[in-house]
Amino acid sequence: MARSIFQCPPWGLMRYTTPDGFLVTKALTRGPFRSDQVRAAAGRITGSGSYRGPDFSEGEHWLHKCANGFGPEGTGNAESWLKAGHTQHLAFIVHQLRMNSGLLA
């Protein structure tokens, strides 16, 4: 059977904004070890020195819950990884703008 040109790869990306750039990890979208691998990917982000903690934004909170959970529930999919990545990125940018404008000490 020929592979469809529209078939997605068996992985997605988790992205995390740092002060100096981005952390990017691959996460499986399917397969028998998907949930363990997704939790490990989230754990690489939350275990990094750049992680701002689960209370910084909903994105960080989701990453924390994913990294520290058990089983398939809570590991999400490519859409939820994008949502967490965008949420934490926007929260980080707003925080940086406030810091640079003097609105936050």
Side-chain angles (χ1 to χ4, degrees):
M1 180 176 197
R3 182 175 170 185
S4 168
I5 61 171
F6 299 108
Q7 186 173 356
C8 297
W11 49 267
L13 298 174
M14 286 187 182
R15 296 174 181 89
Y16 192 74
T17 306
T18 70
D20 300 319
F22 301 93
L23 298 175
V24 180
T25 63
K26 276 187 176 182
L28 291 174
T29 58
R30 56 185 176 268
F33 304 107
R34 186 193 84 77
S35 55
D36 290 338
Q37 199 276 338
V38 169
R39 291 196 189 286
R44 283 191 292 278
I45 292 171
T46 60
S48 77
S50 297
Y51 179 65
R52 292 175 288 277
D55 297 328
F56 190 82
S57 80
E58 283 298 315
E60 275 89 1
H61 182 72
W62 186 91
L63 285 164
H64 174 79
K65 286 188 347 185
C66 179
N68 295 294
F70 180 76
E73 187 175 329
T75 57
N77 55 35
E79 182 180 348
S80 52
W81 307 334
L82 282 171
K83 181 179 177 183
H86 291 329
T87 301
Q88 63 78 28
H89 177 76
L90 291 172
F92 176 75
I93 296 302
V94 168
H95 178 77
Q96 291 298 103
L97 290 171
R98 285 182 176 164
M99 292 291 290
N100 290 334
S101 70
L103 294 176
L104 241 163

